[in-house]
Structures are given as structure tokens and as C-alpha cells.
Amino acid sequence: MRTPGRWWRHKSTPEKVETYTRWSFHFFAVMEFFSVGLTSVAPLGARLGSAVIAVVAVHAGLCFVTVSRAIDWTRGRRPQPTGLLWTLAAVTAAIAVAAIGIAELGPEGERVDTAAGGVFGVILIFGPGIIALGVRDRRRAFAIAGGFAAGTWIVAFALGASALTALFTALIVLVGGVFIAFTAVFSVWLLNAVYELDEARETRTRLAVAEERLRFGRDLHDVMGRNLAVIALKSELAVQLAQRGRPEAVAQMVEVQRLAQESQREVREVVRGYREADLASELAGAQGVLAAAGIECTVIGAATAGLPAAVQSALGWVVREAATNVLRHGDARRCAVRLRVLEGHVVLSVENDGVSEGAATGGGSGSGLAGLRERLAEIGGALEAGPVGKGRFLLTAEVPLASVPAPSGPVPAAAAVRAVSEVMP
């Protein structure tokens, strides 16, 4: 069974802001009902008070539904609730006119006037503010509050109030309505800004991957383009010489063989250069990227200068993949990277918070982590990854220093294919 706390923790930051915005305006509707609806029974009597409770409840219900539909429209999930907005405006105006009528023409007494004035003020302040949620243009949102204030002066003066009293009442409605409308406009702007920032962070991650793919493709093109063109020309020349029975065809094919071997060597160098990663650079880069995303990242541990190149390359890839996972999954606020050398072993651990339930349960089976396990296995290392505690994720890589092999000979074809597949779609 999911508890309310877990339900909240598993939301992303934009989803939390949206939920907070939605329920803040829902609270206005609830507050309207309890502040002026239930308090109207005693001063207005059972019959009139019950009628006021009913109409205030209808207005609060309309506000509640309008908030949900307007925020969904803001996020592009449904069309603009134009009919609902006009309905809320009509009901707001009707209740306000009825409240003024009760104050001017209803039962005598200060308590009756106070109750009617309370219904009038709260309805005309909350109503335009809720309507402003469903309006795109900011000037139009504030014009709605101004329109209700002008209508207040006209209706109050028509029902017998003095011009000064009607003007004072209209000013109260104007100030309150503009304040709630400003709150609505600012809340929608903030909600959209948070979603746009989250989308920008995802876009930045995708652009980084795309840039690396372009770099790798450009390097391969530079290496293979010229050599393949020369191989094609020399092969064509060798065919023509062989058809004429010329012995120079053998020399041309020997040259083709040499160029093919040279191209193979250069491709291996490109792949090897891509697969190698400097641990110190990756640690600094991960810390900078996470800090730019608003995640506090601390790096604790031994210096990397004395570690073998193969160990630094493998652990550098671990840091790169871990930082990518922290950015893509969950809603982390803190990340700690620790590097330790213990009895001939190098241990690198990356721990972060803000992990959702889906990411926590499936974090150890991703293709990126599977590739890291294969890479570490080549030098006798191991990788463990999984949730630790509530909303926390720990990735630990361990590499023995004594058994690290020195790189020699050609790169196996399977390793080259795997390195290419990691950057190709």
C-alpha cells in the first residue's frame, strides 16, 4: 500500500509544483465555503441561510472544477474550458447581486448586513481569480477583475447604496480580485517555467549524446573516407591490369592490402580513443554537470594520478554513466562520489537521493550498466548497483590493481562493435 509520503516523493519536481499549484487554488474554493457559507446560517436564519449555503457550495464546486480544467488546459492536456469559465462568471455575478439585494432589501440587522457583505466580497474576489487561471492573456485576466469591480459599483448604486459606499465597495473588490488574479497568473507562469527547465535539462542531455555521436561519426569519416576512396581506385586499376595480363596488378593489390590494414589500424585507434576516459576529467565533468542541474555533488577520495590507465579508463566510464543516470532518473538533490584504494583494490561508489520506485527497482538492469559490467570484467572488476534505503541509489565499482592487463595487440572485433554500438542509435 502506497503511503501519502511515498506518493509525494515519487513525483518529479514539475509534478510537485503542479500539485501544489492545483491544491492551493482548490483550497480557495474550500475556504470560500467554510468562511462565508456555513457562517451565514445563524445571522440569516434557517431558510435563507440554507439557501445561501447551497449557492455558495455550487460556486465553490464550480471553482474546484474550473481549477482542475484550467491547469490541465495550461499544460496542454485538454481544450480551454471556455463554457465553464463563462458559467463561473455568470454564477459569480448572480450570487453577488443576490448578496447585495439581501443587504439592501432583506431582513434588518447588522449581522445580516455583515453576512451578506461577506458572501458578496469573498465571491467577487475568488471568482475572477479562479477565472484568470483559464485565460492566456495577462491583461485580459486583470481586466476580468476590473470588470467585476465596475459591475459592483453599478449594481450597488442601483440598489440604493450611496455613490461613495458603492465606490468603496468596488475598490475592495478590485484590490482583492486583482491580487488573486495576479496570484493565478504568477502561478501559471511559474508552473510553465519549471516544466520548461525540466525539458531543457532533458534536451541538454540528449544534445550531449548527439554531439558525441557526431564526433565519433566525424572521426570515422575522416579515417575511412580517404582510404576507401584510394582502395576503390587501386582495386579498379588492378582489375584493368589483370585483364590485360600485366604483372603490375599484383603490386596494386599489395598496395590495396596495405591500405586496408592501415585503415583497420586507424579505426581501432579511433575506437580505442573513444573507449578510453580520464578519471580525473570525468570526476570534474560530472561534478560540473550535476551542479549546473542544481544537484549538490561532492567528490571524496584518493588521487587518481597513480592509478593504471586501464583502471582510470574503466572507472571514468563508470562516473560518466552514473552521472547520466542521476540526471535522467529520479529527482536527485545530492550526489556523493567516493574513490578509495583498499588492499590492492580500487573502489568507486556513487550514491544519490531522489530515486523513484520504478528507477530504483529497474536501475540494475539497464543496458548502460550492463555495458559497464562487461567493461569492468575485462580488467577483473565488478559492478553492483541498487537501491539503499528510502529513495537512495548506490552504484559501486571495484577493480583489482594487481590483475590489470596491459593493452597489446589488436582490439577484438566484438569490443570494437560494442564500443560503436554504445554511441550509435
Coordinates of all heavy atoms in Angstrom, one line a residue, residues 168-261:
F168 N -16.4 52.6 -2.7 CA -15.5 52.0 -1.7 C -15.7 50.4 -1.8 O -14.6 49.7 -1.8 CB -15.9 52.4 -0.3 CG -15.1 51.8 0.8 CD1 -13.8 52.2 1.0 CD2 -15.6 50.8 1.6 CE1 -13.0 51.6 2.0 CE2 -14.8 50.2 2.6 CZ -13.5 50.6 2.8
T169 N -16.9 49.9 -2.0 CA -17.1 48.5 -2.2 C -16.4 48.0 -3.5 O -15.8 46.9 -3.5 CB -18.6 48.2 -2.2 OG1 -19.2 48.7 -1.1 CG2 -18.8 46.7 -2.3
A170 N -16.5 48.8 -4.5 CA -15.9 48.4 -5.8 C -14.4 48.4 -5.7 O -13.7 47.5 -6.3 CB -16.3 49.4 -6.9
L171 N -13.8 49.3 -4.9 CA -12.4 49.3 -4.7 C -11.9 48.1 -4.0 O -10.8 47.5 -4.3 CB -11.9 50.6 -4.0 CG -12.0 51.9 -4.8 CD1 -11.6 53.1 -3.9 CD2 -11.0 51.8 -6.0
I172 N -12.7 47.7 -3.0 CA -12.3 46.5 -2.2 C -12.3 45.2 -3.2 O -11.4 44.4 -3.2 CB -13.3 46.3 -1.0 CG1 -13.1 47.4 0.0 CG2 -13.0 44.9 -0.4 CD1 -14.0 47.3 1.2
V173 N -13.4 45.2 -4.0 CA -13.5 44.0 -4.9 C -12.3 44.1 -5.9 O -11.7 43.1 -6.3 CB -14.8 44.1 -5.6 CG1 -14.9 43.1 -6.8 CG2 -15.9 43.8 -4.6
L174 N -12.0 45.3 -6.4 CA -10.9 45.4 -7.4 C -9.6 45.0 -6.8 O -8.8 44.2 -7.4 CB -10.8 46.9 -7.8 CG -9.7 47.2 -8.8 CD1 -9.9 46.4 -10.1 CD2 -9.6 48.7 -9.1
V175 N -9.2 45.5 -5.6 CA -7.9 45.1 -5.0 C -7.9 43.6 -4.7 O -6.9 43.0 -5.1 CB -7.7 45.9 -3.7 CG1 -6.5 45.4 -3.0 CG2 -7.6 47.4 -4.0
G176 N -8.9 43.1 -4.1 CA -8.9 41.6 -3.8 C -8.9 40.8 -5.1 O -8.1 39.8 -5.2
G177 N -9.7 41.2 -6.1 CA -9.7 40.4 -7.4 C -8.4 40.5 -8.1 O -7.9 39.5 -8.7
V178 N -7.8 41.7 -8.2 CA -6.5 41.8 -8.8 C -5.4 41.0 -8.1 O -4.6 40.4 -8.8 CB -6.1 43.3 -8.9 CG1 -4.6 43.4 -9.4 CG2 -7.0 44.0 -9.9
F179 N -5.5 40.9 -6.8 CA -4.5 40.2 -6.1 C -4.6 38.7 -6.4 O -3.6 38.0 -6.7 CB -4.6 40.4 -4.6 CG -3.7 39.6 -3.7 CD1 -2.4 39.9 -3.6 CD2 -4.2 38.4 -3.1 CE1 -1.5 39.1 -2.9 CE2 -3.3 37.6 -2.3 CZ -2.0 38.0 -2.2
I180 N -5.8 38.2 -6.4 CA -6.0 36.7 -6.7 C -5.7 36.5 -8.1 O -5.1 35.4 -8.5 CB -7.4 36.3 -6.3 CG1 -7.7 36.5 -4.8 CG2 -7.6 34.8 -6.7 CD1 -6.9 35.7 -3.9
A181 N -6.0 37.4 -9.0 CA -5.7 37.2 -10.4 C -4.2 37.2 -10.6 O -3.6 36.4 -11.4 CB -6.4 38.3 -11.3
F182 N -3.5 38.1 -10.0 CA -2.0 38.1 -10.1 C -1.4 36.8 -9.5 O -0.5 36.3 -10.1 CB -1.5 39.3 -9.3 CG 0.0 39.3 -9.1 CD1 0.8 39.7 -10.2 CD2 0.6 38.8 -8.0 CE1 2.2 39.7 -10.1 CE2 2.0 38.8 -7.9 CZ 2.8 39.3 -8.9
T183 N -2.0 36.3 -8.4 CA -1.5 35.0 -7.9 C -1.7 33.9 -8.9 O -0.8 33.1 -9.1 CB -2.3 34.7 -6.6 OG1 -2.1 35.7 -5.7 CG2 -1.8 33.4 -6.0
A184 N -2.9 33.9 -9.6 CA -3.1 32.9 -10.6 C -2.2 33.0 -11.8 O -1.6 32.0 -12.3 CB -4.6 33.0 -11.1
V185 N -2.0 34.3 -12.3 CA -1.1 34.5 -13.4 C 0.4 34.1 -13.1 O 1.1 33.4 -13.9 CB -1.1 36.0 -13.9 CG1 0.0 36.3 -14.9 CG2 -2.5 36.3 -14.5
F186 N 0.8 34.5 -11.9 CA 2.2 34.1 -11.5 C 2.3 32.6 -11.3 O 3.4 32.1 -11.6 CB 2.5 34.9 -10.2 CG 3.9 34.6 -9.7 CD1 5.0 35.1 -10.2 CD2 4.1 33.7 -8.6 CE1 6.3 34.8 -9.8 CE2 5.3 33.4 -8.1 CZ 6.4 34.0 -8.7
S187 N 1.3 32.0 -10.7 CA 1.4 30.5 -10.5 C 1.5 29.8 -11.8 O 2.3 28.8 -12.0 CB 0.2 30.1 -9.7 OG 0.1 30.7 -8.4
V188 N 0.7 30.2 -12.8 CA 0.8 29.6 -14.1 C 2.1 29.8 -14.8 O 2.7 28.9 -15.4 CB -0.4 30.1 -15.0 CG1 -0.2 29.6 -16.5 CG2 -1.7 29.6 -14.5
W189 N 2.6 31.0 -14.7 CA 4.0 31.3 -15.2 C 5.0 30.5 -14.6 O 5.9 29.9 -15.3 CB 4.3 32.8 -15.1 CG 5.7 33.1 -15.4 CD1 6.2 33.4 -16.7 CD2 6.8 33.2 -14.5 NE1 7.5 33.7 -16.6 CE2 8.0 33.5 -15.3 CE3 7.0 33.1 -13.2 CZ2 9.2 33.7 -14.8 CZ3 8.2 33.2 -12.6 CH2 9.3 33.6 -13.4
L190 N 5.0 30.3 -13.2 CA 6.0 29.5 -12.5 C 5.9 28.1 -12.9 O 6.9 27.4 -13.1 CB 5.8 29.7 -11.0 CG 6.7 28.9 -10.1 CD1 8.2 29.4 -10.3 CD2 6.4 29.1 -8.7
L191 N 4.7 27.6 -13.0 CA 4.5 26.2 -13.4 C 5.0 25.9 -14.8 O 5.8 24.9 -15.0 CB 3.0 25.8 -13.3 CG 2.6 24.4 -13.7 CD1 3.2 23.4 -12.8 CD2 1.1 24.3 -13.7
N192 N 4.8 26.7 -15.7 CA 5.3 26.6 -17.1 C 6.8 26.7 -17.1 O 7.5 25.9 -17.8 CB 4.7 27.6 -18.0 CG 3.2 27.3 -18.3 OD1 2.7 26.2 -18.2 ND2 2.5 28.4 -18.6
A193 N 7.4 27.6 -16.3 CA 8.8 27.8 -16.3 C 9.5 26.5 -15.7 O 10.5 26.1 -16.2 CB 9.2 29.0 -15.4
V194 N 8.9 25.9 -14.7 CA 9.5 24.7 -14.1 C 9.5 23.6 -15.1 O 10.5 22.8 -15.3 CB 8.8 24.3 -12.8 CG1 9.2 23.0 -12.3 CG2 9.0 25.4 -11.7
Y195 N 8.4 23.4 -15.8 CA 8.3 22.4 -16.8 C 9.3 22.6 -18.0 O 10.0 21.7 -18.5 CB 6.9 22.3 -17.4 CG 6.0 21.3 -16.7 CD1 5.1 21.7 -15.8 CD2 6.2 19.9 -16.9 CE1 4.2 20.8 -15.1 CE2 5.4 19.0 -16.2 CZ 4.4 19.5 -15.3 OH 3.6 18.6 -14.6
E196 N 9.5 23.9 -18.4 CA 10.4 24.2 -19.4 C 11.8 24.0 -19.0 O 12.7 23.5 -19.8 CB 10.2 25.7 -19.8 CG 8.9 25.9 -20.6 CD 8.7 27.4 -20.9 OE1 9.6 28.2 -20.5 OE2 7.6 27.7 -21.5
L197 N 12.2 24.3 -17.7 CA 13.5 24.0 -17.2 C 13.8 22.5 -17.2 O 14.9 22.1 -17.5 CB 13.7 24.6 -15.8 CG 13.8 26.1 -15.8 CD1 13.8 26.6 -14.3 CD2 15.1 26.6 -16.5
D198 N 12.8 21.7 -16.8 CA 13.0 20.3 -16.8 C 13.2 19.7 -18.2 O 14.0 18.9 -18.4 CB 11.8 19.6 -16.1 CG 12.0 18.1 -15.9 OD1 12.8 17.8 -15.0 OD2 11.3 17.3 -16.6
E199 N 12.4 20.3 -19.1 CA 12.6 19.8 -20.5 C 13.9 20.3 -21.1 O 14.6 19.6 -21.9 CB 11.4 20.4 -21.4 CG 10.1 19.8 -21.1 CD 9.0 20.6 -21.8 OE1 9.3 21.5 -22.5 OE2 7.8 20.2 -21.6
A200 N 14.4 21.5 -20.7 CA 15.7 21.9 -21.1 C 16.8 21.0 -20.6 O 17.8 20.8 -21.3 CB 16.0 23.4 -20.6
R201 N 16.7 20.5 -19.4 CA 17.7 19.6 -18.8 C 17.7 18.3 -19.6 O 18.8 17.8 -19.9 CB 17.4 19.3 -17.3 CG 18.5 18.5 -16.7 CD 18.2 18.3 -15.2 NE 17.0 17.5 -15.0 CZ 16.7 17.1 -13.8 NH1 17.3 17.4 -12.7 NH2 15.6 16.3 -13.6
E202 N 16.5 17.8 -20.0 CA 16.5 16.6 -20.8 C 17.1 16.8 -22.2 O 17.8 16.0 -22.7 CB 15.0 16.1 -20.9 CG 14.4 15.6 -19.6 CD 15.1 14.3 -19.1 OE1 15.6 13.6 -20.0 OE2 15.1 14.1 -17.9
T203 N 16.8 18.0 -22.7 CA 17.3 18.3 -24.0 C 18.8 18.5 -24.0 O 19.5 18.0 -24.9 CB 16.7 19.7 -24.5 OG1 15.3 19.5 -24.6 CG2 17.2 20.0 -25.9
R204 N 19.3 19.0 -22.9 CA 20.8 19.2 -22.8 C 21.5 17.8 -22.8 O 22.5 17.6 -23.4 CB 21.1 19.9 -21.5 CG 22.6 20.2 -21.3 CD 22.9 20.9 -20.1 NE 22.3 20.3 -18.9 CZ 22.3 20.8 -17.7 NH1 22.7 22.0 -17.5 NH2 21.8 20.1 -16.7
T205 N 20.9 16.9 -22.1 CA 21.4 15.5 -22.0 C 21.4 14.8 -23.4 O 22.4 14.2 -23.8 CB 20.6 14.7 -21.0 OG1 20.6 15.3 -19.7 CG2 21.2 13.3 -20.9
R206 N 20.3 15.0 -24.1 CA 20.2 14.4 -25.4 C 21.2 15.1 -26.4 O 21.8 14.4 -27.2 CB 18.8 14.5 -26.0 CG 17.7 13.6 -25.2 CD 16.4 13.6 -26.0 NE 15.8 14.9 -26.1 CZ 14.9 15.3 -25.3 NH1 14.5 14.6 -24.2 NH2 14.3 16.5 -25.4
L207 N 21.4 16.4 -26.3 CA 22.3 17.1 -27.1 C 23.7 16.6 -26.9 O 24.6 16.5 -27.8 CB 22.2 18.6 -26.9 CG 20.9 19.2 -27.5 CD1 20.9 20.7 -27.2 CD2 20.9 19.0 -29.0
A208 N 24.1 16.3 -25.6 CA 25.4 15.9 -25.3 C 25.6 14.5 -25.9 O 26.7 14.2 -26.5 CB 25.6 15.8 -23.8
V209 N 24.6 13.6 -25.9 CA 24.8 12.3 -26.5 C 24.9 12.5 -28.1 O 25.7 11.8 -28.7 CB 23.6 11.4 -26.2 CG1 23.6 10.1 -26.9 CG2 23.6 11.1 -24.7
A210 N 24.0 13.4 -28.6 CA 24.1 13.6 -30.1 C 25.4 14.2 -30.5 O 26.0 13.8 -31.6 CB 22.9 14.5 -30.5
E211 N 26.0 15.1 -29.7 CA 27.3 15.7 -30.0 C 28.4 14.6 -30.0 O 29.2 14.6 -30.9 CB 27.6 16.8 -29.0 CG 28.9 17.5 -29.3 CD 29.2 18.6 -28.3 OE1 28.3 18.8 -27.5 OE2 30.2 19.2 -28.4
E212 N 28.3 13.7 -29.1 CA 29.3 12.6 -29.0 C 29.2 11.7 -30.2 O 30.2 11.2 -30.8 CB 29.2 11.9 -27.7 CG 30.3 10.8 -27.5 CD 31.7 11.4 -27.4 OE1 31.8 12.7 -27.1 OE2 32.6 10.7 -27.6
R213 N 27.9 11.4 -30.6 CA 27.7 10.6 -31.8 C 28.3 11.3 -33.1 O 28.9 10.6 -33.9 CB 26.2 10.3 -32.0 CG 25.7 9.3 -31.0 CD 24.2 9.2 -31.1 NE 23.6 8.2 -30.2 CZ 22.3 8.1 -30.0 NH1 21.4 8.8 -30.7 NH2 21.9 7.1 -29.2
L214 N 28.0 12.6 -33.2 CA 28.5 13.3 -34.3 C 30.1 13.3 -34.3 O 30.7 13.2 -35.4 CB 28.0 14.7 -34.3 CG 26.5 14.9 -34.6 CD1 26.1 16.4 -34.4 CD2 26.2 14.4 -36.0
R215 N 30.7 13.5 -33.2 CA 32.1 13.5 -33.1 C 32.7 12.1 -33.5 O 33.7 12.1 -34.3 CB 32.6 13.8 -31.7 CG 34.1 13.9 -31.6 CD 34.5 13.9 -30.1 NE 34.4 12.6 -29.5 CZ 35.2 11.6 -29.6 NH1 36.3 11.8 -30.4 NH2 35.0 10.5 -29.1
F216 N 32.1 11.1 -33.0 CA 32.6 9.7 -33.4 C 32.4 9.5 -34.9 O 33.3 8.9 -35.6 CB 31.9 8.7 -32.5 CG 32.4 7.3 -32.7 CD1 33.6 7.0 -32.1 CD2 31.8 6.4 -33.4 CE1 34.1 5.7 -32.2 CE2 32.3 5.1 -33.5 CZ 33.5 4.8 -32.9
G217 N 31.2 9.9 -35.4 CA 31.0 9.7 -36.8 C 31.9 10.5 -37.7 O 32.4 10.0 -38.7
R218 N 32.2 11.7 -37.2 CA 33.1 12.6 -38.0 C 34.5 11.9 -38.0 O 35.2 11.9 -39.0 CB 33.2 13.9 -37.4 CG 34.0 14.9 -38.1 CD 33.9 16.3 -37.6 NE 34.3 16.4 -36.2 CZ 33.4 16.6 -35.2 NH1 32.1 16.7 -35.4 NH2 33.8 16.6 -33.9
D219 N 35.0 11.4 -36.9 CA 36.3 10.8 -36.8 C 36.4 9.6 -37.7 O 37.4 9.4 -38.5 CB 36.6 10.4 -35.4 CG 36.9 11.6 -34.5 OD1 37.0 12.7 -35.0 OD2 36.9 11.4 -33.2
L220 N 35.3 8.7 -37.7 CA 35.3 7.6 -38.6 C 35.3 8.0 -40.1 O 35.9 7.4 -40.9 CB 34.1 6.7 -38.3 CG 34.1 5.8 -37.1 CD1 32.8 5.1 -36.9 CD2 35.3 4.9 -37.1
H221 N 34.5 9.1 -40.4 CA 34.5 9.5 -41.8 C 35.9 10.0 -42.2 O 36.3 9.7 -43.3 CB 33.5 10.7 -41.9 CG 33.4 11.3 -43.3 ND1 34.2 12.3 -43.7 CD2 32.7 10.9 -44.4 CE1 33.9 12.6 -44.9 NE2 33.0 11.8 -45.4
D222 N 36.6 10.8 -41.3 CA 37.9 11.3 -41.7 C 38.9 10.1 -41.9 O 39.7 10.2 -42.8 CB 38.4 12.2 -40.6 CG 37.6 13.5 -40.5 OD1 36.9 13.8 -41.4 OD2 37.6 14.1 -39.4
V223 N 38.7 9.1 -41.1 CA 39.7 8.0 -41.2 C 39.4 7.1 -42.4 O 40.3 6.8 -43.2 CB 39.6 7.1 -39.9 CG1 40.4 5.8 -40.1 CG2 40.3 7.9 -38.8
M224 N 38.1 6.8 -42.6 CA 37.7 5.8 -43.7 C 37.5 6.4 -45.0 O 37.7 5.8 -46.1 CB 36.5 5.1 -43.2 CG 36.7 4.3 -41.9 SD 37.9 3.0 -42.1 CE 37.2 1.9 -43.4
G225 N 37.1 7.7 -45.1 CA 36.7 8.3 -46.4 C 37.8 8.3 -47.4 O 37.7 7.8 -48.5
R226 N 39.0 8.8 -47.0 CA 40.1 8.9 -47.9 C 40.6 7.5 -48.2 O 40.9 7.2 -49.4 CB 41.2 9.8 -47.2 CG 42.5 9.8 -48.1 CD 43.5 10.6 -47.3 NE 43.8 10.1 -46.0 CZ 44.6 9.1 -45.8 NH1 45.3 8.5 -46.8 NH2 44.8 8.6 -44.5
N227 N 40.8 6.7 -47.2 CA 41.4 5.4 -47.5 C 40.5 4.5 -48.4 O 41.0 3.8 -49.3 CB 41.7 4.6 -46.2 CG 42.8 5.3 -45.4 OD1 43.5 6.1 -46.0 ND2 43.0 4.9 -44.2
L228 N 39.2 4.6 -48.2 CA 38.3 3.8 -49.0 C 38.3 4.3 -50.5 O 38.2 3.5 -51.4 CB 36.9 3.8 -48.4 CG 36.7 3.0 -47.1 CD1 35.2 3.2 -46.6 CD2 36.9 1.5 -47.4
A229 N 38.4 5.6 -50.6 CA 38.4 6.1 -52.0 C 39.7 5.6 -52.7 O 39.6 5.2 -53.9 CB 38.4 7.6 -51.9
V230 N 40.8 5.7 -52.0 CA 42.1 5.2 -52.6 C 42.0 3.7 -52.9 O 42.4 3.2 -54.0 CB 43.3 5.5 -51.7 CG1 44.6 4.9 -52.3 CG2 43.4 7.0 -51.6
I231 N 41.4 2.9 -52.0 CA 41.3 1.5 -52.2 C 40.4 1.2 -53.4 O 40.7 0.3 -54.2 CB 40.7 0.8 -50.9 CG1 41.8 0.8 -49.8 CG2 40.2 -0.6 -51.2 CD1 41.2 0.3 -48.5
A232 N 39.3 1.9 -53.6 CA 38.5 1.7 -54.7 C 39.2 2.0 -56.0 O 39.1 1.2 -57.0 CB 37.2 2.6 -54.6
L233 N 40.0 3.1 -56.1 CA 40.7 3.4 -57.3 C 41.8 2.4 -57.6 O 41.9 1.9 -58.8 CB 41.3 4.8 -57.1 CG 40.4 6.0 -57.1 CD1 41.1 7.3 -56.9 CD2 39.6 6.1 -58.5
K234 N 42.5 2.0 -56.6 CA 43.6 1.0 -56.9 C 43.0 -0.4 -57.2 O 43.6 -1.1 -58.0 CB 44.5 0.9 -55.6 CG 45.4 2.1 -55.5 CD 46.4 1.9 -54.4 CE 47.5 3.1 -54.4 NZ 48.3 3.1 -55.7
S235 N 41.9 -0.7 -56.6 CA 41.3 -2.0 -57.0 C 40.8 -2.0 -58.4 O 41.0 -3.0 -59.2 CB 40.1 -2.3 -56.0 OG 40.5 -2.4 -54.7
E236 N 40.2 -0.9 -58.9 CA 39.8 -0.7 -60.2 C 41.0 -0.8 -61.2 O 40.9 -1.5 -62.3 CB 39.1 0.6 -60.4 CG 38.5 0.8 -61.8 CD 37.7 2.1 -62.0 OE1 37.6 2.8 -61.0 OE2 37.3 2.4 -63.1
L237 N 42.1 -0.2 -60.8 CA 43.3 -0.2 -61.6 C 43.9 -1.7 -61.7 O 44.3 -2.1 -62.8 CB 44.4 0.7 -61.1 CG 45.7 0.7 -61.8 CD1 45.6 1.1 -63.2 CD2 46.7 1.7 -61.1
A238 N 43.8 -2.4 -60.6 CA 44.3 -3.7 -60.5 C 43.5 -4.7 -61.4 O 44.0 -5.5 -62.1 CB 44.4 -4.3 -59.1
V239 N 42.2 -4.4 -61.4 CA 41.3 -5.2 -62.3 C 41.7 -5.0 -63.8 O 41.8 -6.0 -64.6 CB 39.8 -4.9 -62.0 CG1 38.9 -5.5 -63.1 CG2 39.4 -5.4 -60.6
Q240 N 41.8 -3.8 -64.1 CA 42.2 -3.5 -65.5 C 43.5 -4.1 -65.9 O 43.7 -4.6 -67.0 CB 42.2 -2.0 -65.8 CG 40.8 -1.3 -65.6 CD 40.8 0.2 -65.8 OE1 41.9 0.7 -66.0 NE2 39.6 0.8 -65.7
L241 N 44.5 -4.0 -65.0 CA 45.8 -4.5 -65.3 C 45.8 -6.0 -65.4 O 46.5 -6.6 -66.2 CB 46.8 -4.1 -64.2 CG 47.2 -2.6 -64.2 CD1 48.1 -2.3 -63.0 CD2 47.9 -2.2 -65.5
A242 N 45.0 -6.7 -64.5 CA 44.9 -8.1 -64.5 C 44.2 -8.6 -65.8 O 44.6 -9.6 -66.4 CB 44.1 -8.6 -63.3
Q243 N 43.2 -7.8 -66.3 CA 42.5 -8.2 -67.6 C 43.5 -8.1 -68.8 O 43.3 -8.8 -69.8 CB 41.3 -7.3 -67.8 CG 40.2 -7.6 -66.8 CD 39.1 -6.6 -67.0 OE1 39.2 -5.5 -67.7 NE2 37.9 -6.8 -66.4
R244 N 44.5 -7.3 -68.7 CA 45.5 -7.1 -69.7 C 46.7 -8.1 -69.6 O 47.6 -8.0 -70.4 CB 46.0 -5.7 -69.8 CG 44.9 -4.7 -70.1 CD 45.4 -3.3 -70.1 NE 44.3 -2.3 -70.3 CZ 44.5 -1.0 -70.2 NH1 45.7 -0.5 -69.9 NH2 43.5 -0.2 -70.3
G245 N 46.7 -8.8 -68.4 CA 47.8 -9.7 -68.2 C 49.1 -9.0 -67.7 O 50.1 -9.6 -67.9
R246 N 48.9 -7.8 -67.2 CA 50.1 -7.1 -66.7 C 50.5 -7.5 -65.3 O 49.7 -7.6 -64.4 CB 49.8 -5.6 -66.7 CG 49.4 -5.0 -68.1 CD 50.6 -4.9 -69.0 NE 51.5 -3.8 -68.5 CZ 51.3 -2.6 -68.7 NH1 50.4 -2.1 -69.5 NH2 52.2 -1.7 -68.2
P247 N 51.8 -7.7 -65.0 CA 52.2 -8.1 -63.7 C 52.1 -7.0 -62.7 O 52.1 -7.3 -61.5 CB 53.7 -8.5 -63.9 CG 54.1 -7.7 -65.1 CD 52.9 -7.6 -66.0
E248 N 51.9 -5.7 -63.1 CA 51.7 -4.6 -62.1 C 50.5 -4.8 -61.3 O 50.3 -4.1 -60.2 CB 51.7 -3.3 -62.8 CG 53.0 -2.9 -63.4 CD 53.2 -3.4 -64.8 OE1 52.4 -4.3 -65.2 OE2 54.1 -3.0 -65.6
A249 N 49.5 -5.7 -61.7 CA 48.3 -5.8 -61.0 C 48.6 -6.4 -59.6 O 47.9 -6.0 -58.6 CB 47.4 -6.8 -61.7
V250 N 49.6 -7.2 -59.5 CA 50.0 -7.8 -58.1 C 50.4 -6.7 -57.2 O 50.0 -6.6 -56.0 CB 51.1 -8.9 -58.3 CG1 51.5 -9.4 -56.9 CG2 50.5 -10.0 -59.2
A251 N 51.2 -5.8 -57.7 CA 51.7 -4.7 -56.9 C 50.6 -3.8 -56.4 O 50.5 -3.3 -55.3 CB 52.8 -3.9 -57.6
Q252 N 49.6 -3.5 -57.3 CA 48.5 -2.7 -56.9 C 47.6 -3.4 -55.8 O 47.2 -2.8 -54.9 CB 47.6 -2.4 -58.1 CG 48.3 -1.6 -59.2 CD 48.6 -0.2 -58.6 OE1 47.9 0.4 -57.8 NE2 49.7 0.4 -59.1
M253 N 47.4 -4.7 -55.9 CA 46.7 -5.4 -54.9 C 47.4 -5.5 -53.6 O 46.8 -5.5 -52.5 CB 46.4 -6.9 -55.4 CG 45.3 -6.9 -56.5 SD 43.8 -6.0 -56.1 CE 43.3 -6.8 -54.7
V254 N 48.8 -5.6 -53.6 CA 49.6 -5.5 -52.4 C 49.3 -4.1 -51.7 O 49.2 -4.0 -50.5 CB 51.0 -5.7 -52.7 CG1 51.9 -5.4 -51.5 CG2 51.3 -7.2 -53.1
E255 N 49.3 -3.1 -52.5 CA 49.0 -1.7 -52.0 C 47.6 -1.6 -51.4 O 47.4 -1.0 -50.4 CB 49.2 -0.7 -53.1 CG 49.0 0.7 -52.7 CD 50.1 1.2 -51.7 OE1 51.1 0.5 -51.5 OE2 49.9 2.2 -51.1
V256 N 46.6 -2.3 -52.1 CA 45.3 -2.3 -51.5 C 45.3 -3.0 -50.2 O 44.6 -2.5 -49.2 CB 44.3 -3.0 -52.5 CG1 43.0 -3.3 -51.9 CG2 44.1 -2.1 -53.8
Q257 N 46.0 -4.1 -50.1 CA 46.0 -4.8 -48.8 C 46.7 -4.0 -47.7 O 46.2 -3.9 -46.6 CB 46.9 -6.1 -49.0 CG 46.9 -7.0 -47.8 CD 47.8 -8.2 -48.0 OE1 48.6 -8.3 -48.8 NE2 47.5 -9.2 -47.2
R258 N 47.7 -3.2 -48.1 CA 48.4 -2.4 -47.1 C 47.4 -1.3 -46.6 O 47.3 -1.0 -45.4 CB 49.6 -1.8 -47.7 CG 50.4 -0.9 -46.7 CD 51.5 -0.2 -47.4 NE 50.9 0.9 -48.2 CZ 50.5 2.1 -47.7 NH1 50.5 2.3 -46.4 NH2 50.0 3.0 -48.6
L259 N 46.7 -0.7 -47.6 CA 45.8 0.4 -47.2 C 44.6 -0.1 -46.3 O 44.2 0.5 -45.4 CB 45.2 1.0 -48.5 CG 46.1 1.9 -49.2 CD1 45.5 2.3 -50.6 CD2 46.5 3.2 -48.4
A260 N 44.1 -1.4 -46.6 CA 43.1 -1.9 -45.8 C 43.6 -2.2 -44.4 O 42.8 -1.9 -43.4 CB 42.6 -3.2 -46.4
Q261 N 44.8 -2.7 -44.3 CA 45.3 -2.9 -42.9 C 45.6 -1.6 -42.2 O 45.3 -1.5 -41.0 CB 46.6 -3.7 -43.0 CG 46.5 -5.1 -43.5 CD 47.8 -5.8 -43.8 OE1 48.9 -5.2 -43.8 NE2 47.7 -7.2 -43.9

